[in-house]
Amino acid sequence: EPLVTMETTSNEAVAKAASKPEPDPPPESTPTNKTSTPLPKSASITSPPSTATATSSKSKRKSISAISTIKQSSISKKIPPYLSRSSKGGITYFTLVHEAIVDLADRTGSSVPAIEKYIHSKHSELETVNPKMFHNGVLTAVKSAVKDGKLVKVKCSYKINKDWVQKEKKVFQAKEAKKKVAEKKKKKEAEEEKKKKEALKKEKERAAAKAAVQAKGSAVKEKKSPAKIEDKVDSKLKAEFEKKMGAASTDEDREKVSKEMKEAKEANERKKEALAKKAKEREDRIKKRRFPMEDLKLIAEDKELGVKRPGDIVRPPFLPFVLQSLISHDERPKTKKSTPGSMVNACSTTVSAGTRGLISDVFQVYHFFVGDVGYARMEHGIVPKFTLNQLLHAVNEIVSGNARKSRAVPALISQMFLASLSILTSPKADDWVSDDGTNHSKWESLKTDLTKLKQSLSAASWPETLMCYMNAMQNFFTSDATRGNNAWPGAPVIMEDGDDNDMALEEEIENDLPSGYGAYVGPLGCPLNRGYNKLQRHDPWHLSADELMAALRTLTDDIIAMKPSMMKEMDDRDQKLFDLLKQKKAAESQFRKVRFAYEGPKCPRNRSKKPEDGDDAKEVEKPIFKPTATQKEFEAATKARDKALDMYDKGLKNLVHRMEPIGYDKNHNGVYFFHHDPDSLYLEMNRTQNDPFNEIKTWHCIDSKPLFDAFASSLDVRGIRENDLYEQLVGESGSSSLKRNLYDSNRKETIISAYQRQQAELERRLDNAMIASAESTR
């Protein structure tokens, strides 16, 4: 714009200078001719315009060089960069006009003198510019902007056109969006190219490694091949024979060498026969093996016979510890080394220490209240309904030390203590009855003591009530097992015949009880004994997780022992579940019979037989199967079978009360499945290293489908135990019966990838819409 404006101004000045009448030049006298001859018209206007043009060009270059010295950083920040530059990216007169109008911010607009004054005050670089040239440049820029719709004229002032600003903004956004799309496409193509190169590189490395392994295996195979060994032995004997024959000088020596060589060959042949016989016996033993067989025997025979496991059996995966199930699948540790030590210790149990372990106690407490035993289902409202995961969260709060920091036992565990003590301190008439059905005085005194504890039981005082209860039970069982306050009954001493100390037969030797003895709280060092001693001196939140859960588990044992009606109900459950199992088997058998009568054999043979050659008899057809059962009978049998299966499945959830493993692996590690917690499988792993006095067990969980598949693939179905376990896990029909409720991480990845694809598609459509909108506004 400034170039066009200044060039136009220079041309106008030249034209005005040319249109003015020039005075006649003075006459010149010549010696030959005194008459004056006027110069041509063209010659009279040539010199002055060239001088004016040179002056104008010089002023123009000076104006342009002054504007070019203005830096973009000096322009007001109120103006976006895409409005403060020309199409070629430089500073123009309109840029300065635009900046002046924006900064002056006059409501009625800014006049040309005000604009010029502002430009001079801000940009000192323009002081050297010719004022007339500067004024013409500003005026031309303003007029061109009004004509192009960039400015709006209000009387003698000018304002920025808002519509033009919005239009330029859309154009800029469209360009940026197009640029962003191009960058994304370029980046995506670069990433795809990089992935292709990495995949190709890995494929080459894998192929090279595979080829190296095959070459090494073939070399070892050739090296250990019996034929190669025999050839090597024969060539060695032959070389030795030739050497000895060459060294022999007499006929006797040569005859002796020949005899030795013959004996060596015979020995070699016998050795070959022995090796061949041994290999044949090995092959016969391998062929005669029948599966499934005992797991440890299978391992020993495989090692003895040099048999490798089938290729579809993978290495056992790392199973997370039970408390790791509280961590999300993406963030949980993948190895034992990366697992926090507190979780490993909490899920590990040294059985020789007189404890069943923290996780075992947690499982028993869960199943007593809401699980398989389900006391909360018998007595509604005794405790709120909770899940095993919620109980593990509460236990983890104690393990991590949060309970001690907050000086409070988790609410769920406090509620279970309160419910258990409420049941135990409210004995009924038929509670604490001996095996013969009589109610002795000792039980009556115990009931009286427990009833008194009921008066002080509350949500705040349950720790004191628990201590008093354990003290009462400790005194009850200790006094019943001893004579006197603190003494064992004496052991009579049997004297030999003729001894004078006959009084020794009637003497009773009183021995003091060992320090810390507890008939109820257990031996020294066990969690219940430690918790009992701590509870006498400290608040309950000072107890560890295994001490609290051992006390809670003991209370649940007392409730079962106190209530004979509960034991009777459990026996009734067993009988009901057995009856449902019989009904299920009977319904399945009846269904198979009716289906055979209605549909016939599953794979019938060919019903037609072609006649032999030369036989003119017609084609003989076997009789077509005629159903002996109607469709109505078949549908009735199907409904009865489905009803029996449904009733048995419901019975498994409501009637089972025994926490037993569904199977064992080859190392006798038990796998547990709980019908009231079908989202996980639990594995009790024995870590004992041939030391029966230090039996260490750890609890692990299988809570995802990929982990389930990896564990099932690691089972060797050639062994009896692992074959039975595999059938329990996968099901007889091949359907993953225990897998259906587990977490599917593959499904989550599929959902995430689908969401990412949808997001990318929306961004692409948005970019295309912005580009189309910008093009339509041009």
Side-chain angles (χ1 to χ4, degrees), residues 593-594 596-600 625-631 633:
K593 291 179 181 179
V594 175
F596 181 83
Y598 178 70
E599 296 180 351
F625 172 78
K626 295 181 179 180
T628 57
T630 61
Q631 183 178 359
E633 293 175 347

Side-chain angles (χ1 to χ4, degrees), residues 145-336:
V146 172
K147 184 178 179 180
D148 295 339
K150 298 178 182 180
L151 298 180
V152 178
K153 187 175 182 181
V154 181
K155 296 183 180 180
C156 295
S157 302
Y158 299 93
K159 296 173 66 176
I160 303 296
N161 189 355
K162 295 182 179 180
D163 295 338
W164 170 75
V165 173
Q166 293 295 330
K167 181 180 177 182
E168 291 296 322
K169 185 177 180 180
K170 288 183 180 180
V171 172
F172 174 76
Q173 288 178 350
K175 289 181 179 179
E176 290 294 320
K178 197 171 183 180
K179 185 178 178 182
K180 189 176 179 181
V181 170
E183 289 178 354
K184 281 185 179 180
K185 187 176 180 181
K186 188 175 180 181
K187 186 176 180 182
K188 187 176 181 180
E189 290 177 354
E191 288 179 355
E192 290 179 354
E193 187 69 22
K194 186 177 179 181
K195 287 182 180 179
K196 286 181 181 180
K197 289 182 180 179
E198 290 179 355
L200 185 61
K201 184 179 179 181
K202 287 183 179 180
E203 187 67 26
K204 289 182 179 179
E205 290 177 355
R206 196 180 296 111
K210 187 176 180 181
V213 171
Q214 290 178 353
K216 185 177 179 181
S218 60
V220 171
K221 191 173 181 180
E222 290 178 359
K223 185 177 180 182
K224 295 184 178 181
S225 176
K228 296 287 183 180
I229 293 173
E230 292 174 4
D231 295 341
K232 188 174 181 180
V233 171
D234 293 340
S235 60
K236 187 176 180 181
L237 288 174
K238 187 176 180 181
E240 186 179 355
F241 171 73
E242 291 177 354
K243 184 177 179 181
K244 288 184 178 180
M245 288 295 290
S249 57
T250 61
D251 294 339
E252 292 180 0
D253 294 339
R254 284 191 287 271
E255 185 178 354
K256 186 178 180 180
V257 171
S258 300
K259 188 177 180 182
E260 291 176 357
M261 189 62 189
K262 186 177 180 182
E263 292 176 356
K265 285 184 177 181
E266 291 176 356
N268 190 23
E269 292 294 333
R270 289 194 297 271
K271 189 175 181 180
K272 289 180 181 180
E273 291 176 0
L275 290 173
K277 184 178 180 182
K278 189 175 180 180
K280 188 176 180 181
E281 290 177 356
R282 174 180 172 275
E283 293 177 358
D284 293 340
R285 285 185 61 186
I286 293 174
K287 290 180 180 179
K288 289 180 181 180
R289 292 201 302 176
R290 295 293 178 265
F291 304 111
M293 62 191 308
E294 208 282 326
D295 297 76
L296 298 180
K297 182 182 177 182
L298 174 66
I299 295 173
E301 285 190 1
D302 285 349
K303 187 175 181 180
E304 180 185 356
L305 300 176
V307 178
K308 295 182 179 181
R309 294 192 307 172
D312 56 345
I313 299 177
V314 300
R315 187 177 180 181
F318 169 75
L319 300 179
F321 292 89
V322 171
L323 290 183
Q324 284 184 262
S325 62
L326 306 177
I327 307 173
S328 62
H329 294 268
D330 300 332
E331 299 177 358
R332 66 175 53 170
K334 303 299 182 183
T335 60
K336 184 179 179 180

Side-chain angles (χ1 to χ4, degrees), residues 317 319 347 349 665 667-670 683-688 696-700 711:
L319 300 179
C347 298
T349 306
D665 65 358
N667 297 320
H668 296 278
N669 299 322
L683 178 67
E684 186 181 19
M685 191 172 294
N686 189 358
R687 299 284 185 179
T688 306
I696 302 174
K697 293 187 176 181
T698 57
W699 281 94
H700 304 263
F711 178 75

